[in-house]
Amino acid sequence: DHGELTADLYIDCTGFKSLLLEGAMKEKWYDWSEDLPNNRAWATHKPYKNKEEEMEVWTNNTGIENGWVWNIPLWSNIGTGYVYSDSFVDDDTALAEFQRHIGHGDELDYKNMKIKTGRHKRGWVKNVCAIGLSNSFIEPLESSGLVLVTEPIDLLIKTLVMRNGKITQYDRDAWCLVQRELTDAWKYFVMMHFYLSERDD
């Protein structure tokens, strides 16, 4: 809408679309769905019944029939969602399981989200640096998405300050290496939760 834009550095924060890194730069995507099959989530906000008892200072994750449910107490309501794989359960059945678990039906607003697990080969190509979902995603378990946003931003700032904005290919490669190792480590950490589970259902 605003014509052609020119800049020294572009930060791709376009989410799973990855319009700059994957779209414009054609950077390769490594799909992790074989190792991390959860690719869907139902999410909603439920009202407090008893705020004094239900507002906790931590997040709960509970395994149910075909995935797991997050429970995040906020000031005004409880953010909750059900993460699952459509290879094992369809969306409507998953929604019914979720509603049964949280004790609410169609009176709440539910949003169904597609999850894409994996990462790009490089997160910084030429003058495009991808942060967050536009670069990589594990799944919501352990809130790895927060780390995969804050750590790359912190390192990008340090890199830019260190060189007074004059970035070399070595700087880009070093940034990419750190992000790959961070993302891969989180991938295996989250996988461990499932592989070491003693559930047999």
Side-chain angles (χ1 to χ4, degrees):
D1 293 340
H2 301 287
E4 188 174 304
L5 301 174
T6 302
D8 294 328
L9 179 66
Y10 292 92
I11 307 296
D12 187 345
C13 51
T14 59
F16 287 130
K17 293 177 184 176
S18 192
L19 294 175
L20 300 179
L21 185 68
E22 190 170 326
M25 306 309 284
K26 309 293 183 206
E27 188 61 15
K28 180 179 169 100
W29 174 260
Y30 293 110
D31 183 285
W32 289 344
S33 58
E34 189 173 321
D35 295 320
L36 296 165
N38 286 337
N39 62 358
R40 293 282 191 279
W42 280 108
T44 192
H45 295 276
K46 67 178 185 177
Y48 283 108
K49 291 178 183 173
N50 184 329
K51 196 171 188 177
E52 293 294 319
E53 292 179 8
E54 294 174 289
M55 183 181 275
E56 301 164 328
V57 294
W58 56 81
T59 297
N60 282 320
N61 297 322
T62 306
I64 62 173
E65 293 94 332
N66 286 288
W68 61 273
V69 174
W70 75 76
N71 190 74
I72 305 173
L74 307 169
W75 287 113
S76 57
N77 55 51
I78 299 171
T80 185
Y82 183 24
V83 180
Y84 60 95
S85 170
D86 65 1
S87 296
F88 301 100
V89 63
D90 63 80
D91 293 337
D92 292 337
T93 303
L95 178 58
E97 292 171 355
F98 180 39
Q99 289 175 326
R100 194 166 43 251
H101 176 76
I102 64 173
H104 285 276
D106 292 335
E107 75 276 9
L108 301 181
D109 291 325
Y110 297 91
K111 180 180 179 183
N112 189 259
M113 298 174 284
K114 292 182 179 178
I115 296 172
K116 179 175 138 180
T117 60
R119 70 163 167 78
H120 286 96
K121 181 178 180 182
R122 298 172 297 170
W124 191 347
V125 178
K126 296 184 179 178
N127 67 339
V128 172
C129 184
I131 303 290
L133 298 178
S134 58
N135 184 28
S136 62
F137 189 66
I138 314 296
E139 72 151 77
L141 190 64
E142 296 288 359
S143 299
S144 60
L146 297 174
V147 172
L148 298 178
V149 169
T150 57
E151 291 296 316
I153 289 172
D154 186 51
L155 185 58
L156 176 61
I157 292 169
K158 289 175 181 172
T159 303
L160 292 170
V161 169
M162 177 180 66
R163 297 275 195 189
N164 274 343
K166 295 181 179 13
I167 301 303
T168 67
Q169 186 58 46
Y170 174 82
D171 298 318
R172 284 189 286 272
D173 291 344
W175 186 93
C176 290
L177 174 65
V178 171
Q179 299 322 306
R180 273 196 310 271
E181 290 184 349
L182 174 69
T183 307
D184 290 358
W186 273 95
K187 170 193 173 182
Y188 293 117
F189 176 59
V190 170
M191 283 171 58
M192 177 191 71
H193 290 66
F194 300 109
Y195 283 90
L196 298 183
S197 172
E198 295 181 1
R199 287 180 57 169
D200 60 3
D201 58 355

